[in-house]
mmCIF file of all heavy atoms in Angstrom:
data_model
loop_
_atom_site.group_PDB
_atom_site.id
_atom_site.type_symbol
_atom_site.label_atom_id
_atom_site.label_comp_id
_atom_site.label_asym_id
_atom_site.label_seq_id
_atom_site.Cartn_x
_atom_site.Cartn_y
_atom_site.Cartn_z
ATOM 1 N N GLU A 28 -57.242 115.008 172.705
ATOM 2 C CA GLU A 28 -56.581 116.236 173.137
ATOM 3 C C GLU A 28 -56.170 116.144 174.602
ATOM 4 O O GLU A 28 -55.126 116.659 175.004
ATOM 5 C CB GLU A 28 -57.513 117.431 172.904
ATOM 6 C CG GLU A 28 -57.769 117.711 171.420
ATOM 7 C CD GLU A 28 -58.869 118.740 171.204
ATOM 8 O OE1 GLU A 28 -59.603 119.018 172.172
ATOM 9 O OE2 GLU A 28 -58.985 119.251 170.086
ATOM 10 N N ARG A 72 -46.434 94.241 169.252
ATOM 11 C CA ARG A 72 -45.496 95.345 169.491
ATOM 12 C C ARG A 72 -45.204 96.096 168.199
ATOM 13 O O ARG A 72 -45.194 97.343 168.171
ATOM 14 C CB ARG A 72 -44.203 94.781 170.094
ATOM 15 C CG ARG A 72 -43.135 95.834 170.363
ATOM 16 C CD ARG A 72 -41.927 95.207 171.034
ATOM 17 N NE ARG A 72 -41.406 94.090 170.243
ATOM 18 C CZ ARG A 72 -40.475 93.255 170.691
ATOM 19 N NH1 ARG A 72 -39.995 93.383 171.905
ATOM 20 N NH2 ARG A 72 -40.032 92.276 169.909
ATOM 21 N N PRO A 94 -53.189 80.524 155.580
ATOM 22 C CA PRO A 94 -53.181 81.595 156.579
ATOM 23 C C PRO A 94 -53.930 81.159 157.841
ATOM 24 O O PRO A 94 -54.971 80.494 157.759
ATOM 25 C CB PRO A 94 -53.907 82.748 155.883
ATOM 26 C CG PRO A 94 -53.854 82.423 154.432
ATOM 27 C CD PRO A 94 -53.847 80.938 154.330
ATOM 28 N N HIS A 106 -56.576 97.603 162.490
ATOM 29 C CA HIS A 106 -57.119 98.503 161.457
ATOM 30 C C HIS A 106 -56.007 99.220 160.684
ATOM 31 O O HIS A 106 -56.144 100.384 160.306
ATOM 32 C CB HIS A 106 -58.087 99.516 162.072
ATOM 33 C CG HIS A 106 -59.220 98.873 162.812
ATOM 34 N ND1 HIS A 106 -60.283 98.273 162.180
ATOM 35 C CD2 HIS A 106 -59.431 98.700 164.149
ATOM 36 C CE1 HIS A 106 -61.121 97.778 163.081
ATOM 37 N NE2 HIS A 106 -60.615 98.019 164.277
ATOM 38 N N LEU A 112 -50.610 87.049 153.491
ATOM 39 C CA LEU A 112 -50.252 86.004 152.543
ATOM 40 C C LEU A 112 -49.644 84.807 153.285
ATOM 41 O O LEU A 112 -49.407 84.880 154.492
ATOM 42 C CB LEU A 112 -49.245 86.539 151.521
ATOM 43 C CG LEU A 112 -49.620 87.842 150.807
ATOM 44 C CD1 LEU A 112 -48.465 88.312 149.934
ATOM 45 C CD2 LEU A 112 -50.888 87.669 149.984
ATOM 46 N N ILE A 145 -46.290 92.372 145.169
ATOM 47 C CA ILE A 145 -46.026 93.779 144.857
ATOM 48 C C ILE A 145 -46.031 94.004 143.356
ATOM 49 O O ILE A 145 -46.636 94.961 142.840
ATOM 50 C CB ILE A 145 -44.691 94.225 145.482
ATOM 51 C CG1 ILE A 145 -44.846 94.376 147.005
ATOM 52 C CG2 ILE A 145 -44.205 95.535 144.872
ATOM 53 C CD1 ILE A 145 -43.543 94.647 147.731
ATOM 54 N N TRP A 183 -28.413 102.486 155.939
ATOM 55 C CA TRP A 183 -28.225 103.094 157.260
ATOM 56 C C TRP A 183 -27.721 102.034 158.229
ATOM 57 O O TRP A 183 -27.739 100.827 157.911
ATOM 58 C CB TRP A 183 -29.546 103.692 157.760
ATOM 59 C CG TRP A 183 -30.714 102.785 157.531
ATOM 60 C CD1 TRP A 183 -31.079 101.686 158.256
ATOM 61 C CD2 TRP A 183 -31.654 102.875 156.457
ATOM 62 N NE1 TRP A 183 -32.191 101.100 157.702
ATOM 63 C CE2 TRP A 183 -32.558 101.802 156.599
ATOM 64 C CE3 TRP A 183 -31.816 103.761 155.385
ATOM 65 C CZ2 TRP A 183 -33.609 101.600 155.717
ATOM 66 C CZ3 TRP A 183 -32.849 103.549 154.508
ATOM 67 C CH2 TRP A 183 -33.740 102.489 154.679
ATOM 68 N N LYS A 215 -20.466 90.991 149.866
ATOM 69 C CA LYS A 215 -20.242 92.176 149.026
ATOM 70 C C LYS A 215 -20.935 93.397 149.621
ATOM 71 O O LYS A 215 -20.405 94.517 149.566
ATOM 72 C CB LYS A 215 -20.758 91.912 147.602
ATOM 73 C CG LYS A 215 -20.436 93.034 146.632
ATOM 74 C CD LYS A 215 -20.730 92.649 145.199
ATOM 75 C CE LYS A 215 -20.324 93.761 144.242
ATOM 76 N NZ LYS A 215 -20.568 93.392 142.824
ATOM 77 N N LEU A 265 -28.127 107.428 154.424
ATOM 78 C CA LEU A 265 -29.163 108.154 155.145
ATOM 79 C C LEU A 265 -28.907 108.067 156.652
ATOM 80 O O LEU A 265 -27.859 107.596 157.069
ATOM 81 C CB LEU A 265 -30.529 107.600 154.764
ATOM 82 C CG LEU A 265 -30.878 107.745 153.268
ATOM 83 C CD1 LEU A 265 -32.176 107.041 152.937
ATOM 84 C CD2 LEU A 265 -30.953 109.215 152.868
ATOM 85 N N ILE A 284 -41.553 76.416 177.139
ATOM 86 C CA ILE A 284 -42.878 76.124 177.694
ATOM 87 C C ILE A 284 -42.868 74.692 178.240
ATOM 88 O O ILE A 284 -43.494 73.779 177.685
ATOM 89 C CB ILE A 284 -43.973 76.311 176.618
ATOM 90 C CG1 ILE A 284 -43.731 77.599 175.829
ATOM 91 C CG2 ILE A 284 -45.357 76.330 177.255
ATOM 92 C CD1 ILE A 284 -43.843 78.868 176.649
#
Side-chain angles (χ1 to χ4, degrees):
E28 293 170 345
R72 179 177 55 190
H106 303 285
L112 308 174
I145 287 173
W183 44 78
K215 186 170 183 178
L265 298 174
I284 316 296

